[in-house]
């Protein structure tokens, strides 16, 4: 949800604009501290002043005026794609030579709860996300190289993809904990998950039964699972929020 307000007449315009991904700025960091992904999200959601060449056209004043703009998250998708603004551009839309932000960022791997950022009153469920892929960029604005990490849900292992080769990461990989940090992530891919209740144990539950319960416990379940033609309800573009699916027909 985008809210713009004119500084001259206080006219307010609210628009709901769907986004394919979130393009997050990286805060300035003079202390060389490791920033978090939520620091980038907080900066993205801050109120912005529209001035000079970036003035807003007020429908009431019938002219371009100074204004403020505020972006809020209203409904979160089953697949969340986050792009980090690591490159700086000039006024002509070209990348500035050597202008890449190589700041190290800490980003969550599991159980990232975005509920506090959602402003929709009808959203009451937890918005939990788990990382399943990362696109990395190494180098600078004029010369660089891309690699990727991805989670294989069949063996629950992370793999590195580098040109035509791939490598399975070992237990000491950066994806073993709850968070990871690096200066290379450029695009992050998150899957929304549903938290499953933990196994119930009683005083009569034997040790073998407890072990079997832990083995059968699946943990968080992704909302988007393996897609197929027989399960159109799993297609990302047909899901808008919990329990609701968009009705659509293919145009002839």
């Amino acid at each position: 949800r985008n809210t713009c307000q004119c500084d001259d007449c206080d006219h307010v315009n609210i628009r709901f604009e769907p986004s394919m991904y979130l393009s997050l700025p990286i805060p300035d960091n003079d202390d060389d501290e490791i920033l978090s992904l939520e620091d980038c999200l907080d900066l993205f959601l801050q109120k912005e002043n529209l001035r000079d060449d970036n003035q807003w056209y007020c429908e009431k004043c019938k002219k371009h005026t100074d204004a403020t703009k505020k972006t809020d998250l209203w409904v979160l998708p089953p697949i969340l794609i986050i792009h980090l603004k690591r490159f700086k551009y000039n006024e002509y839309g070209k990348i500035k030579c050597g202008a890449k932000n190589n700041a190290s960022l800490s980003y969550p791997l599991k159980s990232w709860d975005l509920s506090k950022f959602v402003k929709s009153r009808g959203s009451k469920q937890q918005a939990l996300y788990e990382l399943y892929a990362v696109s990395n960029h190494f180098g600078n604005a004029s010369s660089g190289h891309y690699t990727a990490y991805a989670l294989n849900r069949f063996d629950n292992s992370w793999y590195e993809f580098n040109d035509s080769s791939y490598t399975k990461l070992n237990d000491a990989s950066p994806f073993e904990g709850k968070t990871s940090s690096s200066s290379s992530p450029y695009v992050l891919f998150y899957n929304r998950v549903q938290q499953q209740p933990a196994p119930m144990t009683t005083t009569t539950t034997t040790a073998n039964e407890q072990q079997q319960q832990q083995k059968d416990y699946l943990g968080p379940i992704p909302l988007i699972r393996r897609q197929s033609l027989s399960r159109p309800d799993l297609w990302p573009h047909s899901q808008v929020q919990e329990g609701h699916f968009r009705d659509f027909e293919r145009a002839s």
Side-chain angles (χ1 to χ4, degrees):
R1 181 184 67 176
N2 287 331
T3 304
C4 292
Q5 184 172 7
C6 177
D7 285 357
D8 292 344
C9 69
D10 292 330
H11 172 66
V12 176
N13 180 275
I14 299 176
R15 292 188 178 183
F16 292 88
E17 300 178 354
S19 301
M20 183 177 178
Y21 56 88
L22 293 181
S23 189
L24 303 185
I26 300 176
D28 294 332
N29 184 20
D30 297 331
D31 299 329
D32 292 330
E33 295 180 356
I34 296 180
L35 301 170
S36 70
L37 194 57
E38 288 199 2
D39 291 332
C40 301
L41 185 55
D42 286 333
L43 181 59
F44 174 75
L45 297 176
Q46 283 183 6
K47 184 179 291 187
E48 176 185 1
N49 292 318
L50 304 180
R51 303 285 187 269
D52 302 325
D53 294 337
N54 198 29
Q55 283 186 326
W56 177 65
Y57 183 82
C58 177
E59 300 171 343
K60 188 175 181 180
C61 296
K62 303 296 182 182
K63 64 177 182 178
H64 286 88
T65 65
D66 291 345
T68 58
K69 178 183 177 182
K70 178 70 170 67
T71 299
D72 294 307
L73 301 182
W74 197 256
V75 176
L76 292 176
I79 296 293
L80 179 62
I81 303 174
I82 294 180
H83 161 255
L84 296 171
K85 292 183 176 180
R86 289 198 176 274
F87 299 102
K88 296 181 179 180
Y89 297 82
N90 59 24
E91 61 271 23
Y92 304 105
K94 294 184 178 181
I95 297 179
K96 295 181 181 180
C97 182
K100 181 190 175 186
N101 191 328
N102 286 307
S104 292
L105 292 176
S106 172
Y107 52 95
L109 305 176
K110 301 176 180 179
S111 301
W112 186 24
D113 191 357
L114 291 177
S115 304
K116 63 181 180 181
F117 295 100
V118 181
K119 299 301 181 181
S120 174
R121 297 177 182 176
S123 181
K124 298 180 180 180
Q125 295 187 2
Q126 275 190 314
L128 297 177
Y129 286 87
E130 291 193 351
L131 185 75
Y132 71 90
V134 181
S135 175
N136 304 297
H137 181 271
F138 299 92
N140 52 45
S142 58
S143 176
H145 180 68
Y146 288 93
T147 66
Y149 296 115
L151 175 65
N152 186 331
R153 295 197 178 277
F154 290 99
D155 63 6
N156 202 35
S157 298
W158 282 89
Y159 289 78
E160 180 183 12
F161 298 87
N162 190 346
D163 290 336
S164 60
S165 64
Y166 72 93
T167 305
K168 182 177 181 180
L169 302 182
N170 56 34
D171 294 338
S173 75
F175 301 103
E176 290 302 314
K178 291 186 177 180
T179 61
S180 184
S181 60
S182 175
S183 61
S184 58
Y186 185 43
V187 184
L188 301 116
F189 301 82
Y190 285 89
N191 200 340
R192 191 166 180 172
V193 297
Q194 289 178 327
Q195 191 71 45
Q196 300 299 305
M200 296 293 295
T201 59
T202 64
T203 55
T204 60
T205 305
T206 65
N208 290 336
E209 290 174 338
Q210 291 182 12
Q211 291 179 358
Q212 186 62 41
Q213 287 177 345
Q214 293 295 332
K215 184 178 179 180
D216 296 337
Y217 179 58
L218 298 176
I221 302 296
L223 289 185
I224 295 298
R225 300 183 291 277
R226 189 176 183 182
Q227 302 171 44
S228 67
L229 294 176
S230 61
R231 293 296 304 276
D233 54 309
L234 297 181
W235 299 350
H237 65 271
S238 68
Q239 302 188 35
V240 289
Q241 57 183 346
E242 302 87 350
H244 298 277
F245 299 92
R246 184 184 294 119
D247 295 328
F248 67 96
E249 294 181 358
R250 186 180 298 276
S252 58

